[in-house]
Amino acid sequence: MTLQNFMNEAISPWMQEEGPDSDIVLSSRIRLARNFANVPYPILADADKLEEIRDFFKTNYENQSFQNYEDFAFIAIKDLSSIEKRVLVEKHLISPHLVKNAETSAVLISENEQVSVMINEEDHIRIQLYFPGFQLAEGLEKVFEFDDWLEEKINYAFDESRGYLTSCPTNVGTGMRASVMMHLPALAMTKQINRMIPAINQLGLVVRGIYGEGSEAQGNIFQISNQITLGKSEHDIVDDLESVVRQLITHERNARSRIQEQSGTKLEDRIYRSYGVLENARIIESKEAAQCLSNVRLGIDLGLIKKVSRNILNELMILTQPGFLQHYQKQSLTANQRDILRATLIRERLQLEN
Amino acid sequence: MECQECQKRPATLHFTQVINGNKKEVHVCEVCAREKGYKTYPEEGYSLHDLLSGLINFESQAMGNPQGGPFQQVKELQCPKCEMTFSEFKRVGKFGCAVCYDTFSERLDPIFRRVHSGNTKHHGKIPKRQGGNLHKRRQLENYKMELKTLIESEEFEKAAEIRDKIKALENEQDIGKEGDRP
C-alpha cells in the first residue's frame, strides 16, 4: 500500500459500504490510547527513544495484515509534504497533534483505511478503528482483538487499579474514546438540538461540530463521544453512548417526518434550491457548500433526490476542505481560488452522478 | 444556541464543568473557547484536555495550601524516572511517564474524581498477555460472587459446580498477590 492511494480518494474504501442507520449515523469510531511501559511519554521522551518506537512499528508491522485489515502502510510524518499532511488530517487518518510531532511520529494505515495507528502522538500508540454507520459494539469487539494483537509484542503501561496509563489524565483507565458522526439536519432546523445538547452533556457525553473554521457545526454534522474513561468498563461506556445515539436517531427521524408533514413544500424548495446552487455555482465558500450538501443529503434520505448517491455528503465535505483542494491542484491556493475550485469540483462530481 | 461569552456566534463546544461538586454547563463558540483557554489546538480533540490544567491547579487551592506557609518547605514530589515534578504536572496537565502515576499517587484521586465523575479505579479491559494472573483473579472474584448468590438462593447443585471451578482455578498455579505490574 502506498501513500498515493490514500491521497487520491477523498472517501475511504470502508465508507463505500452502507452501515446500519446510515441515513443519520455517518460513521462510528473507537480510539484506544496505549503506551509502552518503560519509555517516557512523547512530551518528555528523548527523540532517540521515540525514534526507536517508530522503528519498532516499521520493523514489526509494515506490510503486515490483521484479519481483514490488510497490508499496513507505514508512513513517517516527516516524509510528507505539508499538503499531504493536511489531506491525511482531513480524512481523519491522522490528528493535527501527530503532525506537530512530525520529527518522531508516524502512522500505520490499513489498505481499507479502517484502521489507523498513530505512533508518538500524545501517547506512544493511538489505535483508531472506523466503521460505516452505527456500529459501536462491532467496533469495540474488533478494536479489542486488534489491541490484543499489538500487545503480543508490546508491554503496555498498565496498572491494576488505574488501568491503561496515558499521558493525559482525561484518558486514563480504558484509554478509550468512542464516537459517532451524525447528520442531524432536522434537529438543527427546528433548533431542537440546542435543548438536547445540555441533556446529553449531563450524561457525561460531549457533543461538538466537526467541520468548519471554528464557529459552527458545518453541514449539520455532529460528533458525540464519551468524556469519562475511568471507572466504567468499555462495554458500559459504549452501551451508554449507544442508547443516547439511538434516541437522537429517533428524534431526528421524527423531526424529519414532522417537517415533511407540516411544511413539505418549503422543505422541498430548500432542498432543490441547494441542489441548484451546487449544480450551478461558480464560486462557493465552504460554509455555504456544507449547508447545501447537508440539504441535498437530506433530500436523498427523504427520497426526493434519487439520482445522487448518499455518500456525496461525506465525500464532498472532505474533498472540498482546503488541503484536498490544494492537493488536487498540486499547489497552494488563495481563499478565492479555493472557492472557485470547490464550486468546479462539486459541479463535476454531481455531473458524474447524472 | 448562541455562545454565552460573545452572544454573537453559535456555540459549538458544549460541556459540563464540575468545580467543587458544582456543575456548570458551558456553551461557547470556538473563538471564545480559544480566548478563554478552554481550547488551545484549534482543530483538535476535546476541549476537556485543556480545561484540565485549570482543574488540577484548582486542586492545590482547594487543599488550602497557604502561601508561604509550612507547606512550602515540603520537598516537592518528583518522578524518579522522567524527573517530572508535581508542579510541572499541574502546569502542563500531562504525565511524563507511567511511573508518574505511582510517584504522584496520593495526590491523584481528587483530580481523577473531578475529571471522571467521581471515579478513581479502572473497571475495564485487562491486557490479554500481560494480564496473566490478573485475569484469573478477576475470574475467581466473579466465581465467588456467583457462589454466594447461588448459596443464598439455595441452588446447591449449581453452587457445587462453581465451587469445583474455583478449586480448579486455585490449583492451577499460585495466584499473584500484588498484581502483575509491568
Side-chain angles (χ1 to χ4, degrees):
Chain A
M1 201 64 206
T2 64
L3 175 66
Q4 230 35 56
N5 298 60
F6 303 132
M7 301 293 297
N8 287 341
E9 297 286 333
I11 189 157
S12 297
W14 60 266
M15 289 184 192
Q16 309 278 8
E17 285 165 41
E18 237 172 60
D21 299 300
S22 58
D23 55 332
I24 292 167
V25 182
L26 305 180
S27 63
S28 306
R29 182 191 78 147
I30 310 261
R31 184 218 72 192
L32 298 179
R34 299 289 187 254
N35 284 281
F36 283 77
N38 297 316
V39 184
Y41 299 146
I43 51 160
L44 275 192
D46 296 334
D48 55 338
K49 285 276 182 200
L50 296 175
E51 280 162 16
E52 255 174 55
I53 289 180
R54 187 182 62 196
D55 295 345
F56 171 87
F57 272 88
K58 184 172 168 64
T59 317
N60 285 282
Y61 301 105
E62 187 171 34
N63 303 124
Q64 296 294 303
S65 300
F66 176 74
Q67 297 183 355
N68 55 332
Y69 312 122
E70 291 173 359
D71 194 13
F72 280 99
F74 174 92
I75 301 165
I77 304 304
K78 66 173 164 57
D79 297 340
L80 298 177
S81 72
S82 61
I83 291 177
E84 286 168 335
K85 285 177 211 163
R86 209 160 167 180
V87 166
L88 293 184
V89 170
E90 286 167 4
K91 290 185 80 172
H92 301 122
L93 290 168
I94 65 174
S95 67
H97 195 109
L98 195 78
V99 172
K100 269 184 21 195
N101 293 0
E103 274 316 301
T104 53
S105 64
V107 64
L108 283 175
I109 305 173
S110 70
E111 191 169 14
N112 59 9
E113 299 176 29
Q114 228 178 328
V115 176
S116 89
V117 182
M118 290 188 272
I119 298 143
N120 295 330
E121 210 242 23
E122 181 182 286
D123 295 296
H124 296 140
I125 306 165
R126 289 272 176 105
I127 307 164
Q128 294 195 106
L129 180 58
Y130 287 98
F131 268 84
F134 186 26
Q135 302 192 67
L136 285 171
E138 292 79 356
L140 183 60
E141 193 182 316
K142 280 291 158 202
V143 86
F144 271 10
E145 290 171 19
F146 187 82
D147 182 44
D148 293 339
W149 181 63
L150 288 188
E151 200 241 347
E152 286 173 12
K153 290 184 183 167
I154 299 170
N155 280 328
Y156 281 154
F158 178 83
D159 175 85
E160 183 177 350
S161 117
R162 303 293 196 196
Y164 292 91
L165 306 178
T166 53
S167 180
C168 186
T170 54
N171 292 316
V172 70
T174 61
M176 182 186 77
R177 202 72 65 193
S179 62
V180 289
M181 227 202 264
M182 302 183 84
H183 182 226
L184 303 172
L187 291 179
M189 242 179 253
T190 57
K191 307 220 186 314
Q192 289 180 70
I193 191 75
N194 296 346
R195 283 184 284 123
M196 289 172 175
I197 287 171
I200 297 170
N201 292 156
Q202 295 286 338
L203 300 167
L205 303 176
V206 183
V207 185
R208 59 194 301 269
I210 55 162
Y211 288 108
E213 306 259 312
S215 53
E216 73 253 86
Q218 272 190 15
N220 299 315
I221 298 177
F222 295 86
Q223 188 190 54
I224 320 226
S225 60
N226 64 300
Q227 183 175 320
I228 292 161
T229 58
L230 187 66
K232 291 207 285 184
S233 75
E234 291 86 346
H235 286 105
D236 288 347
I237 293 171
V238 163
D239 283 352
D240 291 352
L241 180 58
E242 270 186 340
S243 77
V244 168
V245 171
R246 221 172 283 286
Q247 288 182 51
L248 278 171
I249 293 173
T250 311
H251 286 301
E252 170 69 21
R253 289 210 179 111
N254 290 343
R256 286 182 187 185
S257 41
R258 217 170 309 126
I259 298 173
Q260 250 184 321
E261 278 163 29
Q262 291 171 359
S263 33
T265 315
K266 238 171 126 183
L267 180 68
E268 273 181 47
D269 179 68
R270 191 168 176 160
I271 288 167
Y272 284 113
R273 268 172 194 275
S274 291
Y275 192 36
V277 168
L278 293 178
E279 268 190 325
N280 295 294
R282 264 45 183 180
I283 301 173
I284 194 163
E285 283 183 19
S286 66
K287 188 178 169 180
E288 188 186 2
Q291 189 53 53
C292 291
L293 285 167
S294 170
N295 287 338
V296 167
R297 166 72 199 242
L298 179 62
I300 298 166
D301 290 334
L302 295 176
L304 296 170
I305 297 175
K306 292 200 172 68
K307 51 190 177 176
V308 183
S309 74
R310 271 182 174 183
N311 272 333
I312 201 100
L313 173 70
N314 319 27
E315 183 180 342
L316 286 178
M317 282 301 283
I318 299 171
L319 190 65
T320 56
Q321 299 288 311
F324 244 104
L325 292 175
Q326 300 182 66
H327 168 62
Y328 188 86
Q329 207 67 351
K330 310 248 181 306
Q331 64 182 45
S332 51
L333 300 168
T334 64
N336 189 44
Q337 289 171 320
R338 290 204 297 262
D339 292 346
I340 295 171
L341 181 60
R342 181 177 297 115
T344 311
L345 284 179
I346 292 173
R347 283 201 320 275
E348 284 174 359
R349 183 66 185 75
L350 287 174
Q351 270 162 16
L352 276 182
E353 298 270 341
N354 288 331
Chain B
M1 180 181 301
E2 63 184 25
C3 170
Q4 65 187 45
E5 294 290 344
C6 61
Q7 269 130 36
K8 271 184 267 161
R9 291 173 286 264
T12 52
L13 276 166
H14 312 273
F15 51 86
T16 312
Q17 217 177 351
V18 184
I19 297 172
N20 250 6
N22 295 323
K23 274 194 192 166
K24 190 182 146 208
E25 280 168 22
V26 182
H27 306 282
V28 289
C29 69
E30 301 266 335
V31 179
C32 293
R34 235 170 294 152
E35 273 172 15
K36 299 283 163 190
Y38 290 137
K39 195 160 185 270
T40 46
Y41 310 127
E43 304 100 323
E44 202 206 8
Y46 307 91
S47 53
L48 195 78
H49 287 224
D50 309 304
L51 265 175
L52 191 78
S53 65
L55 289 176
I56 297 170
N57 276 318
F58 189 82
E59 179 250 3
S60 58
Q61 295 159 25
M63 286 174 69
N65 186 351
Q67 284 247 317
F71 275 96
Q72 301 295 75
Q73 311 296 320
V74 177
K75 194 164 172 283
E76 190 172 28
L77 289 172
Q78 185 173 34
C79 178
K81 181 161 173 88
C82 70
E83 299 180 346
M84 172 81 89
T85 62
F86 191 70
S87 53
E88 180 69 2
F89 163 67
K90 284 196 301 185
R91 198 180 59 78
V92 297
K94 305 264 163 38
F95 293 104
C97 71
V99 180
C100 288
Y101 279 86
D102 276 336
T103 314
F104 308 141
S105 176
E106 59 194 67
R107 311 280 298 270
L108 296 179
D109 278 2
I111 296 169
F112 288 158
R113 245 180 243 128
R114 199 162 291 125
V115 177
H116 296 287
S117 287
N119 296 309
T120 58
K121 224 173 166 303
H122 177 57
H123 282 289
K125 190 174 195 260
I126 299 167
K128 192 178 179 187
R129 177 181 55 81
Q130 284 163 260
N133 282 340
L134 195 51
H135 287 287
K136 255 180 235 162
R137 266 191 292 144
R138 286 263 169 108
Q139 183 67 56
L140 209 55
E141 281 167 26
N142 291 343
Y143 279 151
K144 284 181 178 164
M145 294 273 285
E146 210 179 320
L147 183 65
K148 214 178 143 206
T149 21
L150 287 172
I151 290 173
E152 275 165 10
S153 58
E154 303 191 355
E155 294 184 63
F156 297 117
E157 254 174 60
K158 280 185 193 161
E161 276 172 36
I162 297 291
R163 190 201 52 210
D164 292 343
K165 279 185 188 167
I166 292 175
K167 270 192 185 158
L169 203 59
E170 280 176 338
N171 288 338
E172 254 178 50
Q173 67 177 75
D174 287 354
I175 307 283
K177 284 184 193 91
E178 245 311 296
D180 307 270
R181 299 186 183 187

